[in-house]
Amino acid sequence: MSKDSNKHTPFDVNALWELARIGAPSLSPDGAQAVASITRYSMETDKGASSLHLFSTLGGEPRRLTAAGDKDSEPQWSPRGELIAFLARREQEGVKDEEAQLYVIAPDGGEARRVAQVATGIEAFKWFPDGKRIAFVSWVRPGLKGTAAQEKAHKAFTKERKETGYVTEETIYRFWDRNLPMERVPHLHVVDVATGKVRDLFEGSIHELTRAEPDSHCFDISPDGKRIAFAFDPSAEKKLGNVHTLCEIEVASREVSVLLADKDWDFTAPRYSHGGHHLAFLASHQGLKHTMPTQLAVLDTHGRWAVMSADWDHEVAAPLEWDEDDGALLFAAEDRGRRHVWRFELATLKPTVVFEGGHAGSFALAAGTLVVNHDSVQFPPRLSVQTSDGPQRIDGGLNADLLARHRFGTHEEVSITGAQGDAVQMWLIHPPGFDPKKKKAYPLLHLIHGGPHTAFGDSWHWRWNHQAFAAAGYVVACVNYHGSSSFGHAFLDSITHRWGELELQDVEAGTDWLLKQPWADPKRVFATGGSYGGYMVAWMNGHVEAGRYQAYVCHAGCFDWKAMFADDCASYHSKELGAWYWDDPAKVAAQSPDTFAKNFNTPTLVIHGAKDYRVPDAQGLAYYNTLKAQGLPARLVWFPDENHWILKPRNSRQWYGEFLGWLKRYDRKG
């Protein structure tokens, strides 16, 4: 072993949680400085603390801006540059925030000031162009008038109510890991930054924002500050999968007009041009199919609109940012397992990569300066400014000292022939020091991604970290099977109404390719996955012969599609599977792992969180119970305080320990 190797320790879960995590940037109006939150976690306290930091795009060391709070997040620079607004829970002037509130602080430091005390809390916000007002989202009771009435009702419900029953007649009543606020809906509000006076713009109307995580992308403020465009679901029955119209509200009068409505199209993420003559937005032709991509579209002041990216087979993601001359828009979009920032020229309809991933997670644009939060399999998120010489880091080498303690494996992408004879991408992450020419047999570990309409790629994963698995000695394989995003709509849509079929062929093709390599150990092959990847692992257990894989790990996996109707997006089931379970039970059962339980044959670790509403934990419990009833080796790890993801430091450490321990138990050389 070389002296250099002796200096390094394996990159493991403890090292993963030592790393600082930087958030999305916001730029000062002149583009000279960026602000972003940095979160650091403690394994000892099992908690994280976030603070705001300033980063110069012109050179210089970063500077910490806030210290008093423990969850300062989502900073936004004011249009005039004299203030930075952010969300936090603090104690100020004898009042302790029970919900997230809006604060402002001067960029040169000082004490942050709470803008207003909003009893129902604040979830997202945007500055008005004049820098004197802020629009924000809060869940309120739509039948009440005035902030005093809202505060009184909220206090009665949260402090004085003794009953605990959740009562609803809504179709969508829970999302991800929480019940939606009972009898409340998300309204758009305006607050005066100087006085703290709050107005509910939707008060007394039928209008509301999306109930599925309303954020700052679902509305935008006109350049003159007189109007706000927003996406609105006009259906009486609110549910996931409904199409949205684009509406506009006059801030002074609160009069709402419909800008664009089409029963076949879903319109979201509006963004005014600097001149105010055009509105960019995302459009998805849901009338054709539920899997249709979100595309870039533009509406003019005469009501004419067009999809600009119709001939570009990519999915466009919010936010949309107009270039300075209003001749182009910037946005992020995936491309073959990577995610770039693109510039889309409206005159030529030509997309150009202006920042190449890896994975471009978020970006900010101001005064011609582009700052990107980006990552890769090789490094966690960092902040860089794009220059004529390429990306230049501005985060002061965040995490550099910690990362230098470890050796990391190389990664590469290979192309295999998968289902239907199609080329399928597979990513490989090698153990540190991997040498394909050495006579050493490596164990193989499939990480099967969820979704299914997502992709594994050249990105840093905080929960399923490729480098942590590779450091344990595995060659990690990530197959972007049919149904994955970033390879065009036909590839993504190919699995619709026949889940499991093509994906299994692709994963198996990946295994075949791996086993042909001289460095692969055919007796040490494992398959693991989470969410849809967990579904795939359960599906494999019923369709793959015994002995091909030594063990499986199923995290938050779908097991029984009929019982899955208890999830938070049941309205999608018939679209994805091709039928409701009561109309065509055979079709649904043919895509459900539990149907093939009699064929189960491989030791399986089952992991689930009780707060998982996307894949309810009964799925994992049923799978585990089935394996035990059949006398198959199985182990259950159940977290009462986690959702679809394992987010707490110590629970994550336990997760990795159980995960790798299970593989080691069935690794004959482990």
Side-chain angles (χ1 to χ4, degrees):
M1 183 177 289
S2 68
K3 292 182 179 179
D4 181 67
S5 298
N6 287 327
K7 296 179 182 178
H8 296 91
T9 58
F11 185 75
D12 60 11
V13 62
N14 292 305
L16 181 68
W17 281 93
E18 286 181 342
L19 299 174
R21 308 185 183 194
I22 192 164
S26 175
L27 276 168
S28 59
D30 61 3
Q33 293 188 88
V35 60
S37 67
I38 292 180
T39 303
R40 290 180 169 86
Y41 288 89
S42 166
M43 193 65 74
E44 181 179 353
T45 65
D46 205 30
K47 295 180 180 180
S50 303
S51 57
L52 305 186
H53 294 248
L54 294 177
F55 308 91
S56 173
T57 63
L58 306 175
E61 290 299 311
R63 177 170 62 89
R64 183 169 179 170
L65 181 62
T66 64
D70 61 358
K71 291 186 179 180
D72 299 343
S73 64
E74 300 183 37
Q76 287 188 31
W77 222 293
S78 68
R80 296 185 295 185
E82 82 284 12
L83 290 173
I84 294 171
F86 62 98
L87 297 181
R89 292 189 186 188
R90 297 182 166 206
E91 184 171 355
Q92 194 172 86
E93 297 178 351
V95 178
K96 187 175 183 180
D97 298 332
E98 296 184 359
E99 305 284 349
Q101 300 295 330
L102 187 64
Y103 286 80
V104 291
I105 189 171
D108 56 359
E111 182 67 27
R113 174 177 65 85
R114 185 192 294 123
V115 175
Q117 187 69 44
V118 181
T120 49
I122 295 174
E123 290 203 359
F125 69 93
K126 272 186 180 177
W127 284 94
F128 274 73
D130 61 9
K132 297 179 179 180
R133 295 167 294 167
I134 291 176
F136 68 85
V137 180
S138 187
W139 290 73
V140 297
R141 289 164 177 80
L144 301 181
K145 292 186 177 181
T147 56
Q150 293 288 349
E151 183 176 358
K152 182 179 179 181
H154 188 68
K155 180 181 178 181
F157 188 87
T158 58
K159 299 290 187 181
E160 301 167 4
R161 181 176 183 257
K162 303 303 180 184
E163 300 82 5
T164 60
Y166 185 93
V167 182
T168 187
E169 294 186 19
E170 299 290 344
T171 301
I172 175 173
Y173 55 92
R174 51 169 42 181
F175 189 82
W176 193 251
D177 62 356
R178 65 169 185 164
N179 294 327
L180 298 189
M182 200 167 98
E183 300 177 348
R184 292 157 60 193
V185 297
H187 276 194
L188 199 56
H189 299 70
V190 175
V191 61
D192 186 289
V193 175
T195 66
K197 184 179 179 181
V198 174
R199 291 177 64 219
D200 181 349
L201 293 182
F202 293 165
E203 184 178 277
S205 76
I206 63 169
H207 296 99
E208 60 180 75
L209 300 177
T210 176
R211 299 183 187 181
E213 293 186 312
D215 59 21
S216 60
H217 305 326
C218 62
F219 68 94
D220 195 42
I221 306 169
S222 65
D224 60 10
K226 295 181 178 180
R227 294 159 288 129
I228 298 179
F230 63 96
F232 171 61
D233 175 6
S235 300
E237 181 186 8
K238 310 300 183 189
K239 60 182 179 180
L240 297 181
N242 284 355
V243 299
H244 293 79
T245 63
L246 288 182
C247 295
E248 190 175 60
I249 186 168
E250 295 286 341
V251 176
S253 66
R254 299 195 297 118
E255 291 184 5
V256 175
S257 58
V258 176
L259 296 177
L260 195 59
D262 190 312
K263 63 181 179 59
D264 290 332
W265 285 85
D266 185 38
F267 303 130
T268 57
R271 187 70 170 175
Y272 288 98
S273 63
H274 296 104
H277 302 300
H278 294 87
L279 187 74
F281 57 97
L282 297 180
S284 174
H285 199 171
Q286 292 291 291
L288 288 181
K289 209 164 193 180
H290 73 284
T291 57
M292 292 302 292
T294 52
Q295 299 174 300
L296 176 64
V298 174
L299 170 73
D300 66 19
T301 54
H302 301 289
R304 297 172 301 196
W305 73 284
V307 174
M308 312 307 292
S309 63
D311 295 328
W312 191 53
D313 197 7
H314 289 66
E315 184 113 8
V316 178
L320 306 173
E321 293 287 349
W322 287 89
D323 212 347
E324 289 182 296
D325 62 359
D326 284 348
L329 286 123
L330 275 71
F331 52 78
E334 293 180 318
D335 183 60
R336 298 189 56 77
R338 295 179 172 88
R339 193 172 193 257
H340 314 304
V341 178
W342 304 75
R343 184 180 187 273
F344 195 95
E345 187 76 35
L346 295 179
T348 62
L349 305 183
K350 181 181 178 181
T352 305
V353 173
V354 293
F355 191 99
E356 184 176 357
H359 178 261
S362 56
F363 69 95
L365 178 69
T369 300
L370 176 66
V371 169
V372 183
N373 176 311
H374 63 111
D375 56 273
S376 162
V377 168
Q378 297 298 327
F379 56 83
R382 56 176 58 165
L383 277 191
S384 295
V385 61
Q386 184 71 320
T387 72
S388 57
D389 297 323
Q392 300 294 325
R393 291 187 70 175
I394 63 172
D395 58 15
L398 184 70
N399 293 317
D401 292 342
L402 293 172
L403 295 171
R405 301 175 185 174
H406 314 284
R407 295 176 69 202
F408 291 95
T410 58
H411 72 289
E412 63 175 316
E413 59 174 306
V414 299
S415 181
I416 60 176
T417 301
Q420 304 179 145
D422 295 336
V424 171
Q425 184 189 68
M426 179 169 68
W427 291 88
L428 300 179
I429 300 88
H430 306 117
F434 174 83
D435 187 346
K437 297 180 180 179
K438 286 185 177 180
K439 293 184 178 180
K440 179 179 179 179
Y442 289 90
L444 310 175
L445 175 62
H446 276 289
L447 298 186
I448 306 175
H449 72 71
H453 305 311
T454 61
F456 264 143
D458 186 8
S459 60
W460 185 267
H461 207 297
W462 286 113
R463 299 179 311 282
W464 293 67
N465 189 267
H466 307 84
Q467 293 290 357
F469 293 124
Y474 298 93
V475 173
V476 178
C478 304
V479 177
N480 278 327
Y481 51 76
H482 280 77
S484 299
S485 59
S486 77
F487 300 92
H489 177 256
F491 189 85
L492 179 145
D493 185 58
S494 62
I495 68 171
T496 301
H497 300 173
R498 51 172 174 171
W499 278 10
E501 178 186 338
L502 303 184
E503 306 92 294
L504 176 58
Q505 295 177 48
D506 293 339
V507 173
E508 285 287 82
T511 301
D512 289 340
W513 185 95
L514 290 164
L515 293 177
K516 292 177 182 177
Q517 308 311 307
W519 40 260
D521 191 332
K523 299 298 184 182
R524 303 165 71 195
V525 186
F526 305 90
T528 68
S531 191
Y532 195 86
Y535 160 81
M536 281 306 303
V537 167
W539 183 261
M540 292 167 70
N541 208 352
H543 289 82
V544 178
E545 68 275 10
R548 182 161 169 89
Y549 299 94
Q550 277 58 66
Y552 294 132
V553 177
C554 175
H555 171 94
C558 312
F559 176 66
D560 174 358
W561 282 120
K562 183 177 179 180
M564 267 288 290
F565 215 69
D567 68 15
D568 64 349
C569 50
S571 59
Y572 276 110
H573 286 213
S574 66
K575 297 177 181 179
E576 297 283 14
L577 301 174
W580 298 115
Y581 72 82
W582 55 86
D583 286 334
D584 193 346
K587 186 176 186 64
V588 173
Q591 301 170 76
S592 190
D594 71 303
T595 303
F596 306 93
K598 67 179 181 180
N599 301 327
F600 291 168
N601 54 52
T602 301
T604 301
L605 173 66
V606 178
I607 308 174
H608 228 110
K611 292 186 175 180
D612 188 349
Y613 296 166
R614 184 56 44 93
V615 180
D617 66 335
Q619 293 287 302
L621 300 180
Y623 186 27
Y624 173 74
N625 290 348
T626 300
L627 294 167
K628 297 300 286 187
Q630 293 176 331
L632 291 170
R635 185 176 177 89
L636 174 68
V637 182
W638 179 81
F639 294 96
D641 54 348
E642 297 283 7
N643 59 30
H644 201 54
W645 301 336
I646 308 304
L647 300 176
K648 296 181 179 180
R650 290 196 178 184
N651 284 346
S652 175
R653 184 166 64 184
Q654 182 184 14
W655 186 91
Y656 273 94
E658 291 286 347
F659 190 113
L660 294 172
W662 184 255
L663 301 186
K664 186 176 181 180
R665 181 188 298 189
Y666 294 95
D667 186 340
R668 65 183 179 87
K669 291 186 179 180

